[in-house]
Amino acid sequence: MTEKEKMLCGQWHDANFDEALLKERSAAEGLCYDFNMAKPGSEEQSSALQKLLGTTLPEGLTVLAPAYFDYGIYTDFGKGTFVNHGCYFMDGGKIHIGENVFIGPFCGFYTASHPLNYEERNKGLERALPIVVGDNCWFGANVSVLQGVTIGAGCVIAAGSVVTEDIPENCLVAGVPATIKKRLNL
């Protein structure tokens, strides 16, 4: 099994020294540069984002520069989603963002973790688990979402929160780590 196959299956893999993964991330870094340096709203910027994500852009998607992706092709966005400035998508594991999601500035979606044992960590080992965000969620500024988390539809994540566990639908969460503060009435 290749390191990429291990990565996509959520297994421990060599993320730091594997030539194929380094090449993919380097290509994504170049496309991030093209996107971030292009005139905002230009065809050049849209084209760079489409190449980075490897798919046709969904209707109404807005991603403001700068934005950063490890691979790009492992992140997908739903229609009407808005991503504010300075967001980072560490997409070694797949990241799915639903429709009509508002993501505030400087949010991070982190699918990867490393071994706690430094000897293993120094070998370049990493494990990436997917992140899933339901439709109609709102993320305040500086939210961090960690690996393996699923956030249900209709949630509001308060600014500065660190989401470490799954969140059911229609909840307001806040804090470090984020906890449910109340259920939202529809």
Side-chain angles (χ1 to χ4, degrees):
M1 183 177 269
T2 67
E3 297 304 305
K4 179 178 177 176
E5 290 169 334
K6 291 178 191 175
M7 177 182 80
L8 294 173
C9 290
Q11 297 180 10
W12 291 105
H13 62 281
D14 176 359
N16 291 354
F17 306 111
D18 181 71
E19 289 299 320
L21 291 177
L22 290 172
K23 185 176 178 180
E24 271 194 59
R25 283 200 309 274
S26 178
E29 186 176 20
L31 290 169
C32 285
Y33 177 86
D34 292 345
F35 172 79
N36 292 328
M37 295 299 116
K39 182 178 180 182
S42 68
E43 180 57 40
E44 179 185 19
Q45 189 180 52
S46 179
S47 176
L49 183 60
Q50 186 166 330
K51 288 177 187 172
L52 181 62
L53 299 178
T55 186
T56 302
L57 300 179
E59 180 183 333
L61 172 65
T62 299
V63 178
L64 300 181
Y68 306 95
F69 298 80
D70 278 1
Y71 297 93
I73 59 173
Y74 304 124
T75 299
D76 69 88
F77 296 99
K79 296 176 186 175
T81 288
F82 176 84
V83 179
N84 213 319
H85 299 284
C87 291
Y88 175 44
F89 300 87
M90 183 186 280
D91 60 350
K94 294 188 178 193
I95 299 174
H96 170 75
I97 307 292
E99 294 185 1
N100 301 306
V101 173
F102 291 5
I103 300 175
F106 305 106
C107 289
F109 297 81
Y110 304 99
T111 66
S113 70
H114 302 280
L116 297 179
N117 175 293
Y118 72 86
E119 291 171 341
E120 294 297 309
R121 189 171 56 247
N122 290 346
K123 293 177 185 176
L125 292 179
E126 177 179 291
R127 182 176 65 180
L129 300 175
I131 293 172
V132 176
V133 175
D135 297 342
N136 304 305
C137 289
W138 173 25
F139 293 79
N142 295 299
V143 170
S144 294
V145 180
L146 302 188
Q147 70 166 192
V149 168
T150 296
I151 298 172
C155 286
V156 175
I157 315 299
S161 296
V162 178
V163 184
T164 61
E165 296 180 356
D166 291 353
I167 306 295
E169 291 185 352
N170 301 312
C171 290
L172 170 64
V173 301
V176 179
T179 57
I180 296 171
K181 300 302 179 185
K182 71 177 189 175
R183 302 281 177 167
L184 301 173
N185 297 328
L186 300 179

